[in-house]
Amino acid sequence: MDKKQTNRKILENYFQMADMIVHTFGPQCEVVIHDLADVQSSLIYINGTVTNRSLGAPVTDVVLKELRKSGNDIQDMLGYTIKTKSNQHIKTSTMFIRNEDNDVIGYIGINYDMTAFKYIQNVLDDFIGAKPGLANDEMNESYANNVEEIFEQIIQSSLLEVHVPVEKMSRQDKIRFVQILDDKGIFLIHGAVDKVSDILHVSKQTIYNYLDVIKNS
């Protein structure tokens, strides 16, 4: 059995745990298992419908960014809350799974839909006169069914950060745009260089040159 198959067997050992968690916490709970051998089609197991994803979905933008930032030193992300594009409030935990060489090979994620509880909380806050702004900040996260959705979400959010339309970007604007994309892990996606070069109307080599400038700055 080669290393890829061995790693897959390790991840499959968590399938039963996923089922146990969902059966314990009910239909508002979803558990996913991702194989990081392919970030573009990493979802290999899902029990629950909180994020409405199916097998073969990519990693989320948040995980992609953390992988780019920390690589094999990535830390578990436990008990944080996020708000989706469809205005769901989800409490989520992500535990990264390692093989016998201590390499990160995948992760198990628990997503619990807190939307109804959030509504009740707002009603109670209105009733008792609680002041706004006391709740913990929520992180935005996209649960995409395919890598194109993740790519588009990262592109659009990064364009907002640059504040300059593509057609008016200077070389420095383009380098900053590429750096933002790189920080978010977009170049971990196969074919991202081609797509970004098309968006910026430059060659692939120019994108690689920009990445060299960023690396050496």
Side-chain angles (χ1 to χ4, degrees):
M1 186 180 298
D2 63 24
K3 196 167 188 178
K4 186 175 181 179
Q5 291 174 316
T6 300
N7 289 343
R8 184 62 172 246
K9 285 292 185 183
I10 294 172
L11 296 172
E12 289 174 354
N13 288 335
Y14 287 83
F15 289 3
Q16 188 174 2
M17 180 188 294
D19 293 338
M20 177 188 69
I21 294 170
V22 172
H23 280 96
T24 301
F25 293 101
Q28 302 304 314
C29 182
E30 171 190 274
V31 181
V32 296
I33 297 172
H34 287 258
D35 184 348
L36 292 177
D38 180 6
V39 298
Q40 299 178 107
S41 182
S42 62
L43 184 56
I44 61 171
Y45 194 79
I46 182 168
N47 189 330
T49 58
V50 172
T51 60
N52 293 313
R53 286 175 294 171
S54 54
L55 296 180
V59 299
T60 68
D61 50 342
V62 170
V63 171
L64 196 66
K65 181 178 180 180
E66 291 301 312
L67 284 170
R68 173 64 184 87
K69 183 171 70 176
S70 304
N72 207 42
D73 295 323
I74 196 168
Q75 299 295 308
D76 295 341
M77 299 181 289
L78 307 177
Y80 63 97
T81 56
I82 62 99
K83 185 177 180 180
T84 69
K85 289 189 294 184
S86 57
N87 289 322
Q88 285 175 288
H89 298 271
I90 297 175
K91 188 169 186 179
T92 183
S93 289
T94 301
M95 184 189 78
F96 292 94
I97 301 169
R98 298 173 182 270
N99 61 15
E100 59 183 11
D101 297 321
N102 206 36
D103 295 325
V104 173
I105 59 171
Y107 65 91
I108 180 170
I110 302 173
N111 301 311
Y112 195 91
D113 191 347
M114 301 286 291
T115 307
F117 294 102
K118 193 76 173 177
Y119 173 76
I120 293 170
Q121 180 188 38
N122 290 339
V123 171
L124 289 173
D125 286 347
D126 288 341
F127 182 73
I128 65 176
K131 293 181 179 180
L134 298 179
N136 292 330
D137 290 338
E138 289 181 314
M139 180 188 302
N140 292 321
E141 186 165 20
S142 296
Y143 294 101
N145 273 303
N146 57 68
V147 73
E148 286 76 18
E149 290 180 24
I150 287 288
F151 187 87
E152 183 64 20
Q153 189 277 328
I154 294 174
I155 289 293
Q156 294 304 320
S157 65
S158 300
L159 284 171
L160 289 175
E161 292 182 48
V162 175
H163 299 299
V164 180
V166 171
E167 61 273 13
K168 294 185 178 180
M169 282 186 185
S170 65
R171 181 174 183 273
Q172 285 305 118
D173 292 329
K174 291 178 179 179
I175 290 174
R176 180 165 174 259
F177 179 60
V178 170
Q179 183 169 12
I180 292 169
L181 294 177
D182 188 35
D183 289 342
K184 293 180 179 180
I186 201 169
F187 295 109
L188 296 176
I189 299 174
H190 179 71
V193 170
D194 295 283
K195 292 183 179 180
V196 174
S197 66
D198 288 341
I199 291 168
L200 293 181
H201 308 297
V202 298
S203 67
K204 287 168 51 177
Q205 186 56 51
T206 299
I207 301 298
Y208 287 120
N209 290 342
Y210 290 166
L211 288 169
D212 285 338
V213 170
I214 293 164
K215 182 179 179 181
N216 295 321
S217 62

